Every structure is written in structure tokens, then in C-alpha cells.
Amino acid sequence: MLNVTRLLCGTPTPGDAIRYGTADSRSHTVHRRPVVVWNITRRCNLHCAHCYSASHDMAYEGELTTEEGFRVLDDLAQYEVPHVLLSGGEPTTRKDLVDLVAHGTSIGLKPVLSTNGTLLTSEFVDRLASAGLDRVGISLDGMERVNDRFRGSRGAFGAAVSGIRNSVLAGMRVSLRVTATRRNVADLPDLFELAELEGVPRICVYHLAYAGRGQRLLSFDLDQAERRAMLEFVFQQAIDFHHRGVDMEVLTVDNHADGPFLLQWSRERAPDRSGEVERLLLRNGGNSAGQGVACIDNVGNVHPDQFWWNQTVGNVREQPFSSIWSDDSNPLLMQLRDRKSRLDETCRSCRWLSICNGNLRVRAEASSGSMWGHDPACYLTPNEIGVAAA
């Protein structure tokens, strides 16, 4: 995640320590432990066009039981992961969600719910809040017409907005999440306005990951010019919120070329911020799949990140997550944690490699057949990256 508000405006935000460390590096080292995305179920009540888990509204065999889930949470707490994101599918379809949240909070974890929001009734939200949940990410992919078509369900927009309102009323810190494509990028201004009107304090703009059903949307992904224009809009919105005194944290997600692009943008438009921007981006180090982010899927397989389900490094039914993640002899984890020499020539030669770290490997693998290939969503020009054009 690229925290645009923190970088361009200097505004402290709750996730700063995870992304950029603290002044005392001995007390917190960036990526010392991973943020864990746990897909607690694959079942989903919607049929989103970009779903990386290719979920359907059906029961999936072999999902972790409640007791197995408790053991996973116990292990994650003992391993001192900074956050566990309960995702899906649609996690609110799982009947023991409240129990999982309550157990996680009771042992010191900080669970975050990642949901489409359509099932967040006021009663359900109150139960989750009583169990200790105080953060929820709710996805919208456009205003009503665009969102409902994108998510394959008429009425999904209205139900999600109701879920946002119920969550805000319950005192939860709500994140509005949107994956930007050609189908919905024109709706971004309205979504930013919606977030402000509804009292949502956080907006995350995602780039498309080429995984699951998302691979079918390649023709709808933004091209380089569209992507750059979208990001400039996001940067300006973050600054506008800050100048107006609106409590709004703006982030971009899943394209680590955003870091170099923002740094170059800040040198031209906000030079007073560029020094700290560069320092924080270098501290973060870019893509951290296999190190600073991990995924446990619905049947217990462990993956380098939440999109990369075709790459597995273990299973929590056979070995605790902490043991899997700490195994320095695991070939894939070892390679991801020391990846720079394995990347394609363009990445290896890029002046921004220490900030980007090769971007999203699942996109590279989906487009080139090699996990070390070029990420086609990199929109930096040869001149910007310091590599001669082919």
C-alpha cells in the first residue's frame, strides 16, 4: 500500500509503523512479521468480475473448521503478526465469523474485515463490534449502475452503502475500496465524494491484479496514460482533503510503480515533501510478497500474497503458519526475499528498484509465464526508469 496522505501531506496515520517503521527501528522493523490475509471462506453472495479467488455462492469442501481457525489465530498471535485480514470469498457468509473475531481480539490480534458490505445489517455489525472488531474494508466498484453490473447483482450498491452506514454508526474505522478499471474510473470523483459524505475516513484505490476472474478483465485495465491520469487525480484529492481539514486517508494498492511516480510528482508539485517521501519509500522497500504480506486460503494453504493462489509454500493443517513462514530453506520464500537478481533486465536496471522491488509478481507471471518477468502494469517510461527503450 502507498499511503498518499502520509507521503504528500505528512499526516500521521494508523498504519505508518507497518508501512514505514518508526523513528526507533529497534522497536519496529518494517516487514519483521507479515500482515496476513486469511480467506476464511471462498463462498460469496456476489459474482464480481475481478474476484481473485473466482468465488461462487456455493459451499466449498475442506474449509478450515472453527477449532482449526482458533489454532491458526493462536499461532498468528504468538508469532506477533501486526494484522490479520479476514477476507473471502465473502467472510460474512461464514457462520462463525463473530466467534473468530472474538477469539482473535481476546488474544491480542487486530482483526480487520474485508467485505463487500452487502450483508452488514445493523444487528450483525453490532455483534461484530461487541466481539471486538473496529476496522472494516468495504468494496465498491463504481456508483450504482456501474457497481451492480461489475458485481453481478442488482441492489449490491445500495446494500453496501447501508453496510457502510451501519459500520460508521457502530464506531468502526471504515475503508472504502475500489479497483480502478476503464469500466469505473470515471466514477472515482463520485466515490470520493460519497466517502466524505458518509464519514468514511479511508479510501484505497486498487490496481487490477491479474488473478482469478481478474484475468478476464485485461482489456479493461487502464493503459499507461489512463493510469497516470487516475493517479494524479488521487494525489490531488488527498491534498485537497488535507487542505480542507477533512479526516481522510488516501492510499493506492497493488502497483509499486506508484512509489516512484509519486516521488517524481512530489519533486515537481510538492518539493518540500520530496525528501521525506523518498526516505519513507526506501524504508518501505516496495512489494513484499513472501515477506511482509502472506495469505492463508480457505483450506489452509499458505501463499506469498492474497492473489497468488497457484504458488503454495505450505499448509497450516500440516505445519503452523509461523513455522512455514520462518523456514529459510523454503525455495520460493527464499527467492522472493532475495529477488532482485532474478528479475528481468528492465527491473534489474531500473533506478527505482529499491523503492518498487519488482512490483506485483502475480501479474508478471500471468502475462509472461515467468514469476520473474516484467509486470505489464508498470507505467514508468524508459526515461523515468533510466533504461534505454528497446
Side-chain angles (χ1 to χ4, degrees):
M1 286 187 169
L2 184 83
N3 191 325
V4 178
T5 300
R6 174 69 178 89
L7 295 171
L8 288 182
C9 306
T11 307
T13 61
D16 282 353
I18 296 173
R19 282 182 287 275
Y20 308 117
T22 64
D24 180 3
S25 61
R26 293 172 299 176
S27 65
H28 185 102
T29 301
V30 175
H31 308 324
R32 171 180 169 268
R33 291 288 188 265
V35 170
V36 177
V37 179
W38 177 18
N39 301 88
I40 62 174
T41 183
R42 193 171 171 182
R43 183 171 205 148
C44 186
N45 60 316
L46 301 182
H47 190 82
C48 302
H50 61 326
C51 179
Y52 66 81
S53 62
S55 293
H56 297 275
D57 192 2
M58 56 176 280
Y60 287 86
E61 293 185 4
E63 296 193 329
L64 297 178
T65 66
T66 303
E67 290 304 317
E68 288 174 322
F70 287 171
R71 288 196 291 272
V72 167
L73 293 170
D74 290 342
D75 177 57
L76 296 179
Q78 186 175 13
Y79 197 48
E80 298 180 337
V81 303
H83 288 298
V84 56
L85 279 67
L86 304 179
S87 186
E90 173 47 47
T92 57
T93 65
R94 184 157 169 155
K95 298 184 183 301
D96 60 356
L97 174 61
V98 173
D99 296 327
L100 294 171
V101 169
H103 186 79
T105 55
S106 73
I107 56 178
L109 287 172
K110 301 174 181 179
V112 180
L113 184 64
S114 181
T115 171
N116 61 43
T118 60
L119 303 179
L120 290 178
T121 64
S122 58
E123 185 274 334
F124 192 16
V125 169
D126 288 343
R127 290 175 58 210
L128 288 168
S130 296
L133 187 76
D134 61 4
R135 280 162 296 181
V136 56
I138 298 177
S139 298
L140 284 175
D141 286 297
M143 299 304 285
E144 185 170 13
R145 181 184 62 83
V146 174
N147 178 83
D148 288 2
R149 183 177 179 185
F150 206 83
R151 294 189 165 264
S153 177
R154 183 175 298 176
F157 178 84
V161 171
S162 178
I164 289 171
R165 291 171 179 165
N166 291 334
S167 300
V168 170
L169 284 173
M172 293 188 184
R173 182 174 177 80
V174 178
S175 299
L176 177 62
R177 300 174 177 176
V178 54
T179 299
T181 70
R182 288 178 178 172
R183 288 184 172 184
N184 65 3
V185 70
D187 282 4
L188 275 184
D190 289 335
L191 288 171
F192 273 72
E193 182 179 0
L194 174 69
E196 182 178 354
L197 290 174
E198 296 294 342
V200 172
R202 195 170 190 254
I203 301 176
C204 299
V205 180
Y206 284 72
H207 295 260
L208 182 66
Y210 306 163
R213 287 197 292 269
Q215 294 188 63
R216 303 177 187 173
L217 293 182
L218 296 186
S219 62
F220 295 100
D221 199 11
L222 303 175
D223 65 24
Q224 292 189 2
E226 292 167 332
R227 204 180 297 276
R228 295 166 79 100
M230 180 271 288
L231 288 165
E232 292 208 14
F233 166 78
V234 171
F235 297 168
Q236 292 285 10
Q237 282 290 337
I239 292 172
D240 178 64
F241 284 135
H242 178 69
H243 285 169
R244 291 192 291 114
V246 177
D247 180 18
M248 183 71 72
E249 183 182 7
V250 179
L251 303 97
T252 69
V253 190
D254 295 333
N255 194 324
H256 302 278
D258 292 356
F261 184 65
L262 183 143
L263 175 56
Q264 294 175 102
W265 194 89
S266 72
R267 287 173 175 172
E268 295 179 4
R269 313 288 183 86
D272 59 316
R273 293 292 312 152
S274 61
E276 186 179 24
V277 168
E278 184 170 13
R279 178 179 64 81
L280 293 176
L281 290 173
L282 286 168
R283 185 71 189 278
N284 176 269
N287 182 274
S288 63
Q291 184 170 1
V293 63
C295 173
I296 303 171
D297 71 21
N298 58 312
V299 295
N301 291 320
V302 177
H303 310 288
D305 66 32
Q306 69 270 37
F307 306 111
W308 218 352
W309 282 25
N310 65 308
Q311 296 288 349
T312 301
V313 296
N315 187 288
V316 297
R317 282 181 165 135
E318 300 168 1
Q319 191 178 10
F321 173 86
S322 57
S323 297
I324 295 169
W325 211 250
S326 300
D327 183 2
D328 292 331
S329 67
N330 184 287
L332 180 55
L333 294 180
M334 179 177 63
Q335 292 170 24
L336 287 170
R337 293 167 186 176
D338 185 23
R339 73 177 71 175
K340 292 180 180 178
S341 64
R342 297 177 171 87
L343 296 169
D344 78 294
E345 176 62 26
T346 300
C347 280
R348 290 202 309 272
S349 303
C350 177
R351 71 176 67 173
W352 307 114
L353 182 56
S354 294
I355 287 177
C356 172
N357 204 29
N359 218 334
L360 203 64
R361 294 292 89 207
V362 70
R363 269 196 305 256
E365 185 178 58
S367 62
S368 71
S370 169
M371 73 175 66
W372 308 119
H374 179 66
D375 181 347
C378 177
Y379 51 89
L380 302 178
T381 67
N383 182 59
E384 286 172 325
I385 67 178
V387 176

